[in-house]
């Protein structure tokens, strides 16, 4: 796999469609080529203080009446059998946890490590 996009969502409420931030990191041939950090105002601009969630892409698109694109999914938790914060400490990857762009960058770095081990 030469190219992929790492994505992370932060949600504002207890609903999969209540995203408040999206981070995307494009990797091409082992190098980060683009980063996008988007803040999203959730419905009614309402936020729960202690909430994150997964899988929000499908539910958010459904909420707004949009089709989910076909894409290949890879979960670093399932690949490495450990959480993001622990993995970043182990691999010495910089992380500002629960910032969607920072999380997506970390996921990209971890997935590159996974690809190199294959």
């Amino acid at each position: 796999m030469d190219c992929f996009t790492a994505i992370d969502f932060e949600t504002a409420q207890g609903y999969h469609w209540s995203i408040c931030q999206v981070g995307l990191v494009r990797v091409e041939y082992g190098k980060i080529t683009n980063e996008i950090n988007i803040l999203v105002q959730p419905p009614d601009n309402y936020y729960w203080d202690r909430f994150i969630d997964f899988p929000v892409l499908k539910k958010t698109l459904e909420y707004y009446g949009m089709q989910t694109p076909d894409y290949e999914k890879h979960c670093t938790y399932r690949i490495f059998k450990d959480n993001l914060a622990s993995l970043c400490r182990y691999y010495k990857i910089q992380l500002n946890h629960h910032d969607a762009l920072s999380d997506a960058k970390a996921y990209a770095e971890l997935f590159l490590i996974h690809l190199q081990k294959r």
Side-chain angles (χ1 to χ4, degrees), residues 37-82:
N37 182 28
I38 302 169
L39 297 176
V40 179
Q41 181 176 333
D44 300 323
N45 202 22
Y46 179 73
Y47 299 83
W48 286 5
D49 291 337
R50 54 176 170 72
F51 196 81
I52 59 167
D53 211 359
F54 184 86
V56 297
L57 178 60
K58 182 177 185 287
K59 293 295 183 182
T60 300
L61 293 173
E62 285 174 0
Y63 180 82
Y64 290 103
M66 301 169 72
Q67 282 191 315
T68 303
D70 290 328
Y71 62 97
E72 191 175 330
K73 303 170 194 159
H74 299 277
C75 174
T76 55
Y77 184 81
R78 289 186 178 156
I79 291 168
F80 289 94
K81 309 283 191 266
D82 204 351

Short mmCIF file of all heavy atoms in Angstrom, two decimals, residues 37-82:
data_model
loop_
_atom_site.label_atom_id
_atom_site.label_comp_id
_atom_site.label_asym_id
_atom_site.label_seq_id
_atom_site.Cartn_x
_atom_site.Cartn_y
_atom_site.Cartn_z
N ASN A 37 -7.26 19.93 8.92
CA ASN A 37 -7.86 20.00 10.24
C ASN A 37 -9.12 20.84 10.11
O ASN A 37 -9.04 22.02 9.76
CB ASN A 37 -6.87 20.64 11.22
CG ASN A 37 -7.42 20.69 12.62
OD1 ASN A 37 -8.23 19.86 13.03
ND2 ASN A 37 -6.98 21.67 13.38
N ILE A 38 -10.28 20.24 10.35
CA ILE A 38 -11.55 20.94 10.16
C ILE A 38 -12.33 20.93 11.47
O ILE A 38 -12.57 19.88 12.05
CB ILE A 38 -12.40 20.24 9.06
CG1 ILE A 38 -11.63 20.19 7.74
CG2 ILE A 38 -13.74 20.96 8.89
CD1 ILE A 38 -12.27 19.29 6.71
N LEU A 39 -12.70 22.12 11.91
CA LEU A 39 -13.60 22.23 13.06
C LEU A 39 -15.02 22.29 12.52
O LEU A 39 -15.30 22.96 11.53
CB LEU A 39 -13.29 23.50 13.86
CG LEU A 39 -11.91 23.55 14.49
CD1 LEU A 39 -11.70 24.90 15.16
CD2 LEU A 39 -11.74 22.43 15.50
N VAL A 40 -15.92 21.55 13.15
CA VAL A 40 -17.30 21.43 12.70
C VAL A 40 -18.22 21.82 13.85
O VAL A 40 -18.06 21.32 14.97
CB VAL A 40 -17.62 19.98 12.26
CG1 VAL A 40 -19.05 19.86 11.81
CG2 VAL A 40 -16.65 19.53 11.18
N GLN A 41 -19.18 22.68 13.58
CA GLN A 41 -20.15 23.02 14.62
C GLN A 41 -21.21 21.92 14.66
O GLN A 41 -21.92 21.71 13.69
CB GLN A 41 -20.80 24.36 14.33
CG GLN A 41 -21.79 24.77 15.41
CD GLN A 41 -22.35 26.14 15.16
OE1 GLN A 41 -21.72 26.99 14.55
NE2 GLN A 41 -23.55 26.36 15.63
N PRO A 42 -21.32 21.19 15.77
CA PRO A 42 -22.30 20.11 15.85
C PRO A 42 -23.72 20.68 15.95
O PRO A 42 -23.89 21.88 16.22
CB PRO A 42 -21.93 19.38 17.14
CG PRO A 42 -21.23 20.40 17.96
CD PRO A 42 -20.54 21.33 17.00
N PRO A 43 -24.73 19.85 15.72
CA PRO A 43 -26.11 20.31 15.82
C PRO A 43 -26.35 21.04 17.14
O PRO A 43 -25.92 20.59 18.20
CB PRO A 43 -26.93 19.03 15.73
CG PRO A 43 -26.06 18.10 14.93
CD PRO A 43 -24.65 18.43 15.36
N ASP A 44 -27.01 22.16 17.05
CA ASP A 44 -27.35 23.02 18.20
C ASP A 44 -26.11 23.54 18.94
O ASP A 44 -26.23 24.06 20.04
CB ASP A 44 -28.27 22.29 19.19
CG ASP A 44 -29.57 21.87 18.55
OD1 ASP A 44 -30.09 22.64 17.71
OD2 ASP A 44 -30.05 20.78 18.87
N ASN A 45 -24.93 23.36 18.33
CA ASN A 45 -23.67 23.81 18.95
C ASN A 45 -23.54 23.31 20.39
O ASN A 45 -23.05 24.00 21.27
CB ASN A 45 -23.56 25.34 18.89
CG ASN A 45 -22.12 25.79 18.99
OD1 ASN A 45 -21.20 25.05 18.70
ND2 ASN A 45 -21.92 27.03 19.40
N TYR A 46 -23.96 22.07 20.61
CA TYR A 46 -23.97 21.48 21.96
C TYR A 46 -22.84 20.46 22.08
O TYR A 46 -22.65 19.62 21.21
CB TYR A 46 -25.33 20.81 22.21
CG TYR A 46 -25.41 20.15 23.56
CD1 TYR A 46 -25.53 20.92 24.72
CD2 TYR A 46 -25.35 18.77 23.69
CE1 TYR A 46 -25.59 20.32 25.96
CE2 TYR A 46 -25.41 18.16 24.92
CZ TYR A 46 -25.54 18.94 26.06
OH TYR A 46 -25.59 18.34 27.29
N TYR A 47 -22.11 20.53 23.18
CA TYR A 47 -20.96 19.66 23.42
C TYR A 47 -21.08 18.97 24.77
O TYR A 47 -21.41 19.61 25.76
CB TYR A 47 -19.66 20.47 23.44
CG TYR A 47 -19.37 21.19 22.16
CD1 TYR A 47 -19.96 22.42 21.89
CD2 TYR A 47 -18.51 20.65 21.23
CE1 TYR A 47 -19.69 23.09 20.70
CE2 TYR A 47 -18.23 21.31 20.05
CZ TYR A 47 -18.83 22.53 19.79
OH TYR A 47 -18.57 23.18 18.62
N TRP A 48 -20.76 17.68 24.80
CA TRP A 48 -20.58 16.98 26.06
C TRP A 48 -19.12 17.13 26.44
O TRP A 48 -18.24 17.01 25.59
CB TRP A 48 -20.91 15.50 25.92
CG TRP A 48 -22.36 15.17 25.83
CD1 TRP A 48 -23.40 16.04 25.76
CD2 TRP A 48 -22.93 13.88 25.77
NE1 TRP A 48 -24.59 15.37 25.67
CE2 TRP A 48 -24.32 14.03 25.68
CE3 TRP A 48 -22.40 12.59 25.79
CZ2 TRP A 48 -25.19 12.95 25.60
CZ3 TRP A 48 -23.26 11.52 25.71
CH2 TRP A 48 -24.64 11.70 25.63
N ASP A 49 -18.83 17.32 27.68
CA ASP A 49 -17.46 17.56 28.12
C ASP A 49 -16.55 16.34 27.99
O ASP A 49 -15.35 16.48 27.83
CB ASP A 49 -17.44 18.00 29.59
CG ASP A 49 -18.03 19.38 29.77
OD1 ASP A 49 -18.05 20.15 28.79
OD2 ASP A 49 -18.46 19.68 30.88
N ARG A 50 -17.07 15.17 28.08
CA ARG A 50 -16.22 13.98 28.21
C ARG A 50 -16.53 12.91 27.17
O ARG A 50 -16.65 11.74 27.49
CB ARG A 50 -16.39 13.41 29.61
CG ARG A 50 -17.84 13.13 29.94
CD ARG A 50 -18.03 12.48 31.28
NE ARG A 50 -19.41 12.45 31.64
CZ ARG A 50 -20.34 11.68 31.09
NH1 ARG A 50 -20.03 10.87 30.14
NH2 ARG A 50 -21.59 11.74 31.49
N PHE A 51 -16.64 13.30 25.90
CA PHE A 51 -17.10 12.32 24.95
C PHE A 51 -16.25 12.25 23.70
O PHE A 51 -15.95 13.25 23.09
CB PHE A 51 -18.55 12.61 24.55
CG PHE A 51 -19.18 11.44 23.88
CD1 PHE A 51 -19.68 10.40 24.64
CD2 PHE A 51 -19.23 11.35 22.52
CE1 PHE A 51 -20.22 9.29 24.03
CE2 PHE A 51 -19.77 10.25 21.90
CZ PHE A 51 -20.27 9.23 22.66
N ILE A 52 -15.88 11.03 23.32
CA ILE A 52 -15.32 10.72 22.01
C ILE A 52 -16.04 9.48 21.52
O ILE A 52 -16.61 8.74 22.31
CB ILE A 52 -13.79 10.47 22.05
CG1 ILE A 52 -13.47 9.30 22.98
CG2 ILE A 52 -13.05 11.71 22.50
CD1 ILE A 52 -12.06 8.80 22.83
N ASP A 53 -15.97 9.20 20.21
CA ASP A 53 -16.73 8.05 19.68
C ASP A 53 -16.18 7.55 18.36
O ASP A 53 -15.37 8.22 17.73
CB ASP A 53 -18.19 8.47 19.50
CG ASP A 53 -19.12 7.31 19.69
OD1 ASP A 53 -18.67 6.18 19.95
OD2 ASP A 53 -20.30 7.50 19.58
N PHE A 54 -16.66 6.32 17.96
CA PHE A 54 -16.22 5.65 16.75
C PHE A 54 -17.27 4.63 16.39
O PHE A 54 -17.81 4.00 17.28
CB PHE A 54 -14.87 4.96 17.05
CG PHE A 54 -14.23 4.31 15.88
CD1 PHE A 54 -13.42 5.03 15.03
CD2 PHE A 54 -14.43 2.96 15.63
CE1 PHE A 54 -12.81 4.42 13.96
CE2 PHE A 54 -13.83 2.35 14.56
CZ PHE A 54 -13.01 3.07 13.72
N PRO A 55 -17.68 4.42 15.18
CA PRO A 55 -17.29 4.96 13.88
C PRO A 55 -18.22 6.08 13.42
O PRO A 55 -19.37 5.83 13.06
CB PRO A 55 -17.38 3.77 12.96
CG PRO A 55 -18.54 2.99 13.53
CD PRO A 55 -18.52 3.25 15.03
N VAL A 56 -17.76 7.27 13.40
CA VAL A 56 -18.63 8.41 13.17
C VAL A 56 -18.78 8.81 11.71
O VAL A 56 -19.75 9.48 11.37
CB VAL A 56 -18.17 9.64 13.99
CG1 VAL A 56 -18.25 9.35 15.47
CG2 VAL A 56 -16.79 10.08 13.61
N LEU A 57 -17.87 8.42 10.84
CA LEU A 57 -17.98 8.84 9.44
C LEU A 57 -19.30 8.40 8.83
O LEU A 57 -20.05 9.21 8.29
CB LEU A 57 -16.81 8.30 8.61
CG LEU A 57 -16.85 8.62 7.12
CD1 LEU A 57 -16.85 10.13 6.88
CD2 LEU A 57 -15.69 7.96 6.39
N LYS A 58 -19.63 7.12 8.94
CA LYS A 58 -20.87 6.60 8.35
C LYS A 58 -22.10 7.27 8.95
O LYS A 58 -23.01 7.70 8.23
CB LYS A 58 -20.93 5.08 8.57
CG LYS A 58 -22.15 4.43 7.96
CD LYS A 58 -22.09 2.92 8.15
CE LYS A 58 -23.20 2.20 7.47
NZ LYS A 58 -24.49 2.36 8.10
N LYS A 59 -22.13 7.41 10.27
CA LYS A 59 -23.30 8.01 10.93
C LYS A 59 -23.43 9.50 10.61
O LYS A 59 -24.55 10.00 10.45
CB LYS A 59 -23.23 7.81 12.45
CG LYS A 59 -23.35 6.35 12.87
CD LYS A 59 -24.72 5.81 12.52
CE LYS A 59 -24.86 4.39 13.00
NZ LYS A 59 -26.14 3.80 12.64
N THR A 60 -22.32 10.21 10.51
CA THR A 60 -22.38 11.63 10.16
C THR A 60 -22.89 11.82 8.74
O THR A 60 -23.76 12.66 8.48
CB THR A 60 -21.00 12.29 10.31
OG1 THR A 60 -20.58 12.17 11.67
CG2 THR A 60 -21.03 13.76 9.92
N LEU A 61 -22.37 11.02 7.81
CA LEU A 61 -22.85 11.12 6.43
C LEU A 61 -24.33 10.76 6.33
O LEU A 61 -25.08 11.44 5.62
CB LEU A 61 -22.00 10.22 5.52
CG LEU A 61 -20.55 10.66 5.36
CD1 LEU A 61 -19.76 9.62 4.58
CD2 LEU A 61 -20.46 12.02 4.69
N GLU A 62 -24.76 9.73 7.05
CA GLU A 62 -26.18 9.36 7.07
C GLU A 62 -27.04 10.51 7.62
O GLU A 62 -28.09 10.82 7.07
CB GLU A 62 -26.42 8.11 7.91
CG GLU A 62 -25.99 6.84 7.26
CD GLU A 62 -26.11 5.63 8.20
OE1 GLU A 62 -26.53 5.79 9.37
OE2 GLU A 62 -25.76 4.52 7.75
N TYR A 63 -26.59 11.13 8.69
CA TYR A 63 -27.33 12.22 9.31
C TYR A 63 -27.57 13.36 8.32
O TYR A 63 -28.63 13.97 8.30
CB TYR A 63 -26.57 12.74 10.54
CG TYR A 63 -27.25 13.87 11.25
CD1 TYR A 63 -28.28 13.62 12.17
CD2 TYR A 63 -26.89 15.19 11.02
CE1 TYR A 63 -28.91 14.66 12.83
CE2 TYR A 63 -27.52 16.23 11.68
CZ TYR A 63 -28.53 15.97 12.59
OH TYR A 63 -29.16 17.00 13.24
N TYR A 64 -26.55 13.65 7.49
CA TYR A 64 -26.66 14.74 6.52
C TYR A 64 -27.15 14.27 5.15
O TYR A 64 -27.12 15.03 4.19
CB TYR A 64 -25.33 15.48 6.41
CG TYR A 64 -25.04 16.28 7.65
CD1 TYR A 64 -24.12 15.84 8.59
CD2 TYR A 64 -25.72 17.47 7.91
CE1 TYR A 64 -23.86 16.57 9.75
CE2 TYR A 64 -25.48 18.20 9.07
CZ TYR A 64 -24.55 17.74 9.97
OH TYR A 64 -24.32 18.46 11.12
N GLY A 65 -27.60 13.00 5.05
CA GLY A 65 -28.16 12.49 3.80
C GLY A 65 -27.14 12.28 2.70
O GLY A 65 -27.47 12.39 1.52
N MET A 66 -25.91 11.96 3.08
CA MET A 66 -24.84 11.76 2.10
C MET A 66 -24.46 10.28 2.05
O MET A 66 -24.60 9.57 3.04
CB MET A 66 -23.63 12.61 2.48
CG MET A 66 -23.95 14.10 2.55
SD MET A 66 -22.62 15.06 3.30
CE MET A 66 -21.40 15.00 2.02
N GLN A 67 -23.96 9.85 0.90
CA GLN A 67 -23.54 8.45 0.75
C GLN A 67 -22.15 8.23 1.35
O GLN A 67 -21.28 9.09 1.25
CB GLN A 67 -23.50 8.07 -0.73
CG GLN A 67 -24.84 7.77 -1.32
CD GLN A 67 -24.68 7.14 -2.69
OE1 GLN A 67 -23.89 7.60 -3.50
NE2 GLN A 67 -25.42 6.08 -2.95
N THR A 68 -21.96 7.07 1.93
CA THR A 68 -20.65 6.68 2.43
C THR A 68 -19.82 6.17 1.26
O THR A 68 -20.25 5.27 0.54
CB THR A 68 -20.78 5.57 3.50
OG1 THR A 68 -21.63 6.04 4.55
CG2 THR A 68 -19.43 5.19 4.07
N PRO A 69 -18.62 6.72 1.05
CA PRO A 69 -17.79 6.24 -0.06
C PRO A 69 -17.23 4.85 0.24
O PRO A 69 -17.14 4.45 1.40
CB PRO A 69 -16.66 7.28 -0.12
CG PRO A 69 -16.58 7.82 1.27
CD PRO A 69 -17.99 7.78 1.82
N ASP A 70 -16.87 4.14 -0.81
CA ASP A 70 -16.17 2.86 -0.63
C ASP A 70 -14.72 3.16 -0.27
O ASP A 70 -14.06 3.96 -0.94
CB ASP A 70 -16.22 2.04 -1.92
CG ASP A 70 -17.61 1.53 -2.21
OD1 ASP A 70 -18.36 1.25 -1.25
OD2 ASP A 70 -17.96 1.39 -3.40
N TYR A 71 -14.25 2.56 0.79
CA TYR A 71 -12.86 2.74 1.18
C TYR A 71 -12.42 1.54 2.02
O TYR A 71 -13.23 0.86 2.62
CB TYR A 71 -12.63 4.05 1.94
CG TYR A 71 -13.38 4.17 3.25
CD1 TYR A 71 -12.77 3.88 4.46
CD2 TYR A 71 -14.72 4.58 3.28
CE1 TYR A 71 -13.45 3.99 5.66
CE2 TYR A 71 -15.41 4.70 4.48
CZ TYR A 71 -14.78 4.40 5.66
OH TYR A 71 -15.45 4.50 6.84
N GLU A 72 -11.11 1.29 2.02
CA GLU A 72 -10.53 0.21 2.79
C GLU A 72 -10.24 0.73 4.20
O GLU A 72 -9.60 1.77 4.36
CB GLU A 72 -9.24 -0.25 2.12
CG GLU A 72 -8.68 -1.52 2.67
CD GLU A 72 -7.49 -1.98 1.87
OE1 GLU A 72 -7.42 -1.70 0.66
OE2 GLU A 72 -6.61 -2.62 2.48
N LYS A 73 -10.72 0.02 5.22
CA LYS A 73 -10.58 0.46 6.61
C LYS A 73 -9.49 -0.33 7.32
O LYS A 73 -9.41 -1.54 7.18
CB LYS A 73 -11.89 0.26 7.36
CG LYS A 73 -13.06 0.97 6.75
CD LYS A 73 -14.35 0.52 7.39
CE LYS A 73 -15.50 0.96 6.54
NZ LYS A 73 -16.71 0.22 6.76
N HIS A 74 -8.67 0.38 8.09
CA HIS A 74 -7.66 -0.25 8.93
C HIS A 74 -7.70 0.45 10.28
O HIS A 74 -7.65 1.67 10.35
CB HIS A 74 -6.27 -0.11 8.32
CG HIS A 74 -6.14 -0.76 6.99
ND1 HIS A 74 -5.88 -2.10 6.85
CD2 HIS A 74 -6.26 -0.26 5.74
CE1 HIS A 74 -5.84 -2.39 5.57
NE2 HIS A 74 -6.06 -1.29 4.87
N CYS A 75 -7.75 -0.30 11.34
CA CYS A 75 -7.83 0.24 12.68
C CYS A 75 -6.52 -0.07 13.41
O CYS A 75 -6.18 -1.24 13.60
CB CYS A 75 -9.02 -0.37 13.42
SG CYS A 75 -9.13 0.10 15.15
N THR A 76 -5.81 0.97 13.84
CA THR A 76 -4.53 0.74 14.51
C THR A 76 -4.72 0.01 15.83
O THR A 76 -3.83 -0.74 16.26
CB THR A 76 -3.75 2.05 14.74
OG1 THR A 76 -4.57 2.96 15.46
CG2 THR A 76 -3.32 2.66 13.42
N TYR A 77 -5.85 0.19 16.48
CA TYR A 77 -6.11 -0.55 17.72
C TYR A 77 -6.17 -2.05 17.43
O TYR A 77 -5.59 -2.85 18.17
CB TYR A 77 -7.40 -0.09 18.39
CG TYR A 77 -7.62 -0.79 19.71
CD1 TYR A 77 -6.97 -0.35 20.86
CD2 TYR A 77 -8.45 -1.90 19.81
CE1 TYR A 77 -7.14 -1.00 22.07
CE2 TYR A 77 -8.63 -2.55 21.01
CZ TYR A 77 -7.98 -2.10 22.15
OH TYR A 77 -8.14 -2.76 23.34
N ARG A 78 -6.83 -2.43 16.37
CA ARG A 78 -6.91 -3.85 16.02
C ARG A 78 -5.58 -4.39 15.51
O ARG A 78 -5.24 -5.54 15.74
CB ARG A 78 -8.01 -4.07 14.98
CG ARG A 78 -9.38 -3.88 15.57
CD ARG A 78 -10.47 -4.23 14.62
NE ARG A 78 -11.76 -4.07 15.28
CZ ARG A 78 -12.88 -3.85 14.65
NH1 ARG A 78 -12.90 -3.78 13.34
NH2 ARG A 78 -14.00 -3.72 15.32
N ILE A 79 -4.82 -3.56 14.82
CA ILE A 79 -3.52 -3.99 14.29
C ILE A 79 -2.52 -4.22 15.43
O ILE A 79 -1.86 -5.24 15.50
CB ILE A 79 -2.97 -2.95 13.30
CG1 ILE A 79 -3.82 -2.94 12.02
CG2 ILE A 79 -1.50 -3.24 12.97
CD1 ILE A 79 -3.53 -1.76 11.11
N PHE A 80 -2.42 -3.24 16.33
CA PHE A 80 -1.39 -3.26 17.38
C PHE A 80 -1.88 -3.81 18.72
O PHE A 80 -1.09 -4.03 19.62
CB PHE A 80 -0.83 -1.85 17.60
CG PHE A 80 0.03 -1.35 16.48
CD1 PHE A 80 -0.52 -0.58 15.46
CD2 PHE A 80 1.38 -1.65 16.44
CE1 PHE A 80 0.28 -0.10 14.43
CE2 PHE A 80 2.18 -1.18 15.41
CZ PHE A 80 1.62 -0.41 14.39
N LYS A 81 -3.20 -3.94 18.88
CA LYS A 81 -3.79 -4.45 20.13
C LYS A 81 -3.45 -3.57 21.33
O LYS A 81 -3.21 -4.06 22.43
CB LYS A 81 -3.34 -5.89 20.41
CG LYS A 81 -3.53 -6.86 19.26
CD LYS A 81 -4.96 -7.28 19.12
CE LYS A 81 -5.12 -8.44 18.17
NZ LYS A 81 -5.41 -8.10 16.81
N ASP A 82 -3.42 -2.25 21.10
CA ASP A 82 -3.14 -1.31 22.18
C ASP A 82 -3.74 0.04 21.81
O ASP A 82 -4.02 0.31 20.64
CB ASP A 82 -1.64 -1.19 22.42
CG ASP A 82 -1.30 -0.72 23.83
OD1 ASP A 82 -2.21 -0.33 24.58
OD2 ASP A 82 -0.10 -0.74 24.16
#
